[in-house]
Amino acid sequence: MLAILRKEINSFFASPIGYLVIAIFLLLNGLFLWLFKGEFNILDYGFADLSSFFLLAPWILIFLIPAVTMRSFSDEKKQGTLELLLTKPISHLKIVLGKYLGAFILIVIALLPTLLYVYTVNQLGNPVGNLDVGSTLGSYFGLLFLVAAYTAIGVFASTLSDNQIVAFIISVFLCFLFYIGFEGIADFTASNIVEQLGMSYHFKSMSRGVLDTADILYFLSVTIFFILLTVRGIKNESFKKKELLHLLVLPLGLIVLNIFTASVHQRFDLTKDQRYTLSESSISIIENVESPIIIDVFLEGEDFPSEFRRLQSETKQLLEEFANINDNILFSFINPIKEESVREQNIDLLMARGLTPMQLDVTESGKSTKAIIFPWALASYNEQTVVIPLIKNKIDANQQELVSNSVQHLEYAFADGFSKLTKPKRHKIAILKGNKQLGDIYIADFAKKLGEYYNIGKYTLDSVASNPQKTLDGLNDFDLIISAKPTEAFTEAEKLVLDQFTMNGGKSLWLIDAVAIEKDSLYNETGKNYAVSRDLNLTDFFFKYGIRINPSLVSTLYSAPITLAMGEGSNSQFQNLRWPYSPLAGSSSNHPIVNNLNLVRFDFANQIDTLKNNLNKTILLESAPLTKLEGTPREISLDIVTKEQDPKLFNKGNQTLAVLIEGSFSSAYKNLIKPVKLSEIKDESTPTKMIVIADGDIIKNDVSKNQPLELGFDRWTGQNYGNKEFLLNAVNYLLDDDGLINIRSKEIAVAFLDQEKIASEKTKWQLVNIALPLVLLALFGFVFNFIRKKKYAS
């Protein structure tokens, strides 16, 4: 067998045809990947990966491998040496394996120069070395399994004719049929089983660095099947009935084996961030769904920038992962603006459902054009439909950052949508009233959003004085309480009931203003008003839980603007001016509530101190480093927008604005006289959670013409802040039973190429990847033939 293997390699490289075949393969790869404009061009694609190569390679190999294998047995038949070969004291299987391994090694040698692509992408990464090595290695493994199957088909095809051209054509046809043909038949017959017979179905996940034993077994089955067919094909005797039966049983047996092992397969996600492995929470949501979930994704169209083509492909791959868990996940990609005749109608219909389009700038060959996309999906289940956003906006994010944030958010977006469709509302939320909290119209937008997930009701503590036990019993029917900007002090009886709600394991979200000042109160003739501390009688209450809200104002240079009319009379114009009392808060934490979160806008926020006790505290939001604290009482004037601020005065660093408290709470009334009598008073709580935010206005939506506007939307600047998402994440975290919110902490890093480096070194890297592989091939040929001539000359 080894002698046959060496003979195959020697004869291939002894002929100029061998070098020509490999040179064409390398040249085609080099031109498509590094020079020609199009979807395969790595430099234009802009991402630090080799997905373009692994998408292109199977198509080029469909022609390369038949060109290598076409002479394996057809040449032996034509020269009449096959009969002589079969008389040698070696089994037919070893003869076939010698030919097969010889061809396989030749293809591997042809692939070796493509490792230059790996080096290039690694060097051009931003930063250098951001290439996902695990994913790339897994993709090469997948390519080798594809090569193994193609080679087996090619060697078999060479037994069917003594004409190499005929053998080449048959091999190309069979490779094409097995790679993409079954997929086409499956589209026609709407059969998933037929699609699984094709190589494309199994290579798809392997090409992105995910190795599955079911996929590996498939390629090994195809390889073994065609090798055994080749063993039978080189015999000069006619088929016997027994052999025909074996040939029928063999593929059926392999199919049964693949079906059986598909249910017990192992999957290895070699990507660095495990991006193609769904979280347990996602799997638990959809694994038992028995009716179809139909997803229409509108992220489809032509002339997409490379970043949005990446978002499109990541969305497809994620939905394929969901579909692999449950066959009832059915999805399709739709271009709503493809047909000119119904384009405007479709746009109006989508916008009526809240699916607003995005307009993108597409630059190609120095020309800029506009493209409209709808980065949304609609998921339907049992006559219910939810909207799923595919874009994750962040203030000041460029197009690369926008897509990177969106890719990271995809799994949570779809899992959240599926959860809303398939799971009934299990939790009850009480919106507290009675202490002059915000009116319904000012929390209407957030309450509407919460209503998609939970049962919501108003609850007042007014009856606590007359019947505290009944008040507590009613409150205990809820899983979470929200107190949105109370402005009237809590009585001791109300505090005890709220304290015991926490002791019983109840969750709470507090939005507290420790300073009394409203932006609207400044819109008077003087443009001034006074900020004074507000006593809500909650200081000792929160102190026991380990925090203190200080009656001081947080002022920062990194803030949202205020819109004012500047100028006199008819010459006045609205201008957006810096307003230091509207801090834009963010977080460096990877906590699921705030991970990948847009900036949150506060108004007249206060500062929170955290105190040491046995509770775990997580700072969720904080101001920017250039911050100062202003004590109260204090005059607040709109004139500040016209004055230059001295950055040196903003020297207090990041100030805490929102805190998560978790653990077993001690009662605020432990060892104290109780203001009212309850049937049972607990001093220690079961493990529970509480979030305290030092501003009530972050939940407040604007109102126009007596209608609530979207929370976080600034109608003057058109900017969307992260208020609603932050509050929704906070509530989801407090009430999350299945860990869905934890998906948000999953880090998926999208690696980009350094565009400045590409612009300055483009020609260099094009030459490295197009010319250098050819030079290496020529050098190999020179050395190989030099050694061969020297050997035979001696």
Side-chain angles (χ1 to χ4, degrees):
M1 186 176 78
L2 291 177
I4 295 174
L5 190 154
R6 285 195 297 269
K7 173 180 173 294
E8 288 295 307
I9 294 176
N10 284 329
S11 61
F12 185 85
F13 285 115
S15 166
I17 299 297
Y19 295 99
L20 181 62
V21 168
I22 294 179
I24 291 174
F25 169 72
L26 295 174
L27 187 61
L28 286 174
N29 272 306
L31 293 174
F32 276 104
L33 295 174
W34 303 100
L35 187 62
F36 293 162
K37 296 290 182 182
E39 62 177 307
F40 296 114
N41 191 295
I42 292 174
L43 300 179
D44 291 343
Y45 184 48
F47 294 93
D49 62 48
L50 286 169
S51 57
S52 298
F53 169 61
F54 295 111
L55 183 65
L56 176 67
W59 294 101
I60 298 180
L61 289 172
I62 280 180
F63 298 94
L64 169 70
I65 292 177
V68 171
T69 60
M70 64 184 182
R71 53 178 295 280
S72 295
F73 286 105
S74 62
D75 198 39
E76 300 276 5
K77 282 186 174 185
K78 187 174 183 178
Q79 295 180 17
T81 57
L82 180 58
E83 290 79 3
L84 181 62
L85 183 61
L86 295 177
T87 61
K88 299 292 183 182
I90 183 173
S91 68
H92 291 182
L93 177 60
K94 289 184 177 181
I95 292 173
V96 171
L97 286 177
K99 295 274 189 179
Y100 170 80
L101 291 174
F104 179 79
I105 291 172
L106 290 171
I107 305 303
V108 172
I109 292 172
L111 287 173
L112 285 177
T114 65
L115 295 177
L116 283 170
Y117 307 161
V118 179
Y119 173 76
T120 301
V121 171
N122 195 60
Q123 291 300 113
L124 289 176
N126 185 18
V128 173
N130 64 350
L131 176 70
D132 189 339
V133 177
S135 173
T136 306
L137 184 63
S139 301
Y140 265 105
F141 272 123
L143 193 59
L144 289 178
F145 280 109
L146 182 71
V147 167
Y150 275 179
T151 305
I153 292 173
V155 172
F156 165 70
S158 71
T159 66
L160 301 179
S161 174
D162 60 4
N163 187 308
Q164 294 185 28
I165 302 302
V166 173
F168 173 81
I169 294 172
I170 293 173
S171 180
V172 169
F173 171 76
L174 289 175
C175 288
F176 184 85
L177 173 66
F178 270 83
Y179 184 71
I180 201 69
F182 285 111
E183 189 174 306
I185 297 171
D187 290 339
F188 181 74
T189 60
S191 172
N192 188 48
I193 295 176
V194 174
E195 184 182 8
Q196 293 180 31
L197 294 175
M199 294 182 189
S200 177
Y201 177 87
H202 296 275
F203 179 69
K204 200 177 294 181
S205 62
M206 299 179 84
S207 68
R208 56 181 188 254
V210 180
L211 300 184
D212 193 309
T213 54
D215 296 327
I216 294 172
L217 180 62
Y218 166 83
F219 281 109
L220 291 177
S221 299
V222 172
T223 303
I224 291 169
F225 175 66
F226 278 100
I227 285 176
L228 294 178
L229 280 184
T230 306
V231 172
R232 181 58 189 82
I234 62 175
K235 294 181 180 179
N236 291 325
E237 55 193 56
S238 59
F239 280 97
K240 299 175 183 177
K241 288 184 179 180
K242 190 175 181 180
E243 287 181 318
L244 286 172
L245 182 62
H246 287 166
L247 288 177
L248 289 173
V249 170
L250 178 63
L252 290 174
L254 290 173
I255 290 172
V256 170
L257 178 64
N258 277 266
I259 293 172
F260 174 75
T261 55
S263 59
V264 292
H265 65 108
Q266 289 291 318
R267 190 172 180 278
F268 305 96
D269 186 350
L270 301 183
T271 57
K272 181 169 56 179
D273 45 25
Q274 298 287 291
R275 69 174 59 198
Y276 302 119
T277 300
L278 293 178
S279 304
E280 289 297 326
S281 301
S282 298
I283 295 172
S284 68
I285 290 169
I286 55 105
E287 64 180 344
N288 296 318
V289 172
E290 297 179 352
S291 299
I293 298 178
I294 300 170
I295 305 127
D296 292 325
V297 183
F298 299 105
L299 195 64
E300 181 73 15
E302 300 175 358
D303 302 323
F304 276 12
S306 60
E307 292 87 356
F308 284 86
R309 281 192 280 118
R310 178 59 178 265
L311 178 61
Q312 181 190 56
S313 67
E314 292 283 349
T315 304
K316 285 181 180 177
Q317 290 165 2
L318 177 68
L319 289 174
E320 286 168 2
E321 294 300 325
F322 276 111
N324 287 336
I325 301 297
N326 191 322
D327 292 339
N328 284 312
I329 304 295
L330 308 174
F331 64 91
S332 59
F333 280 69
I334 300 169
N335 183 356
I337 59 175
K338 183 177 181 179
E339 301 293 336
E340 288 286 344
S341 58
V342 293
R343 180 174 181 173
E344 294 301 324
Q345 180 182 350
N346 287 344
I347 290 176
D348 291 341
L349 287 172
L350 292 173
M351 291 185 67
R353 303 195 68 161
L355 280 64
T356 53
M358 284 185 68
Q359 185 166 288
L360 306 173
D361 293 318
V362 182
T363 303
E364 187 172 345
S365 302
K367 295 181 180 180
S368 292
T369 57
K370 299 289 184 181
I372 294 176
I373 68 167
F374 281 86
W376 301 90
L378 289 177
S380 302
Y381 175 78
N382 290 345
E383 299 182 355
Q384 297 182 74
T385 301
V386 296
V387 174
I388 298 175
L390 306 180
I391 285 291
K392 182 70 176 62
N393 281 306
K394 267 193 174 182
I395 294 174
D396 297 331
N398 59 35
Q399 204 154 280
Q400 283 189 351
E401 293 168 334
L402 181 70
V403 172
S404 184
N405 295 334
S406 301
V407 168
Q408 182 167 325
H409 187 68
L410 275 179
E411 183 181 344
Y412 176 75
F414 278 102
D416 181 53
F418 297 158
S419 180
K420 283 193 282 186
L421 286 173
T422 61
K423 292 195 173 184
K425 297 177 183 178
R426 303 187 304 276
H427 295 295
K428 293 174 65 179
I429 297 176
I431 307 294
L432 291 187
K433 299 292 181 180
N435 297 86
K436 295 186 178 179
Q437 281 93 345
L438 285 172
D440 292 347
I441 196 169
Y442 294 107
I443 61 171
D445 186 62
F446 184 60
K448 179 182 176 183
K449 187 66 178 177
L450 274 187
E452 297 177 7
Y453 299 83
Y454 309 106
N455 297 302
I456 302 175
K458 301 175 189 176
Y459 196 82
T460 179
L461 301 177
D462 290 347
S463 61
V464 70
S466 59
N467 197 335
Q469 187 62 51
K470 182 180 178 182
T471 305
L472 177 58
D473 291 342
L475 199 60
N476 284 335
D477 287 339
F478 293 91
D479 303 291
L480 170 74
I481 59 172
I482 298 177
S483 187
K485 195 178 179 179
T487 56
E488 183 180 87
F490 289 79
T491 66
E492 292 299 322
E494 290 172 336
K495 287 163 57 180
L496 177 61
V497 167
L498 293 169
D499 174 82
Q500 288 303 297
F501 172 77
T502 301
M503 294 307 108
N504 290 324
K507 317 295 194 306
S508 51
L509 174 62
W510 293 90
L511 301 102
I512 301 297
D513 274 0
V515 174
I517 181 69
E518 302 293 336
K519 193 185 292 184
D520 290 347
S521 69
L522 301 176
Y523 300 142
N524 54 47
E525 291 184 0
T526 63
K528 299 177 183 178
N529 210 328
Y530 280 89
V532 296
S533 62
R534 172 180 283 141
D535 183 13
L536 295 174
N537 193 28
L538 291 175
T539 302
D540 58 335
F541 184 75
F542 288 127
F543 190 88
K544 187 67 175 180
Y545 300 154
I547 66 165
R548 178 173 54 224
I549 305 176
N550 296 308
S552 55
L553 292 175
V554 174
S555 175
T556 175
L557 293 182
Y558 193 55
S559 57
I562 190 172
T563 304
L564 299 173
M566 305 296 290
E568 297 294 333
S570 60
N571 293 323
S572 64
Q573 292 182 332
F574 285 104
Q575 295 184 29
N576 299 318
L577 305 166
R578 176 183 288 169
W579 181 243
Y581 298 110
S582 290
L584 291 178
S587 175
S588 57
S589 170
N590 190 40
H591 194 278
I593 294 177
V594 291
N595 188 41
N596 199 22
L597 182 74
N598 202 352
L599 293 171
V600 177
R601 182 180 67 183
F602 284 68
D603 277 312
F604 296 112
N606 314 131
Q607 177 252 350
I608 299 177
D609 284 333
T610 56
L611 312 171
K612 287 186 178 181
N613 61 10
N614 64 333
L615 296 169
N616 295 320
K617 302 175 193 70
T618 304
I619 296 174
L620 296 177
L621 292 175
E622 56 188 6
S623 66
L626 291 176
T627 296
K628 67 178 179 178
L629 297 176
E630 300 182 359
T632 55
R634 169 177 294 274
E635 182 183 76
I636 305 295
S637 173
L638 292 176
D639 288 343
I640 195 172
V641 300
T642 62
K643 298 176 182 178
E644 190 68 29
Q645 300 293 313
D646 184 0
K648 293 179 181 179
L649 299 177
F650 294 79
N651 56 7
K652 294 297 183 181
N654 304 96
Q655 295 297 313
T656 302
L657 304 179
V659 176
L660 165 67
I661 312 169
E662 300 174 280
S664 295
F665 288 65
S666 291
S667 170
Y669 286 88
K670 185 178 181 179
N671 301 324
L672 297 178
I673 298 174
K674 312 305 187 279
V676 292
K677 186 176 181 180
L678 297 173
S679 61
E680 182 186 6
I681 295 181
K682 297 180 179 180
D683 288 336
E684 298 291 332
S685 78
T686 56
T688 189
K689 308 171 188 176
M690 175 185 292
I691 292 176
V692 180
I693 303 168
D695 178 27
D697 289 315
I698 76 162
I699 198 175
K700 182 180 179 182
N701 54 252
D702 287 337
V703 176
S704 177
K705 298 179 181 179
N706 208 34
Q707 293 295 319
L709 301 180
E710 183 180 1
L711 174 61
F713 176 69
D714 188 334
R715 53 182 164 162
W716 300 105
T717 63
Q719 187 65 260
N720 268 300
Y721 298 100
N723 295 45
K724 182 157 65 173
E725 184 183 5
F726 166 68
L727 292 171
L728 182 60
N729 291 345
V731 172
N732 286 346
Y733 182 80
L734 291 172
L735 294 177
D736 194 20
D737 291 333
D738 52 19
L740 176 62
I741 187 67
N742 291 315
I743 299 174
R744 288 182 48 82
S745 61
K746 183 177 179 179
E747 289 286 348
I748 294 180
V750 179
F752 292 93
L753 296 177
D754 189 331
Q755 294 301 324
E756 291 184 6
K757 196 172 184 180
I758 289 173
S760 61
E761 302 178 7
K762 189 173 186 178
T763 303
K764 165 190 164 183
W765 293 109
Q766 286 175 331
L767 287 172
V768 165
N769 290 283
I770 297 173
L772 186 56
L774 299 177
V775 171
L776 292 175
L777 177 64
L779 183 62
F780 173 83
F782 175 79
V783 172
F784 180 86
N785 283 286
F786 176 78
I787 294 174
R788 187 168 179 269
K789 286 180 181 179
K790 187 175 180 181
K791 177 182 176 181
Y792 286 106
S794 61

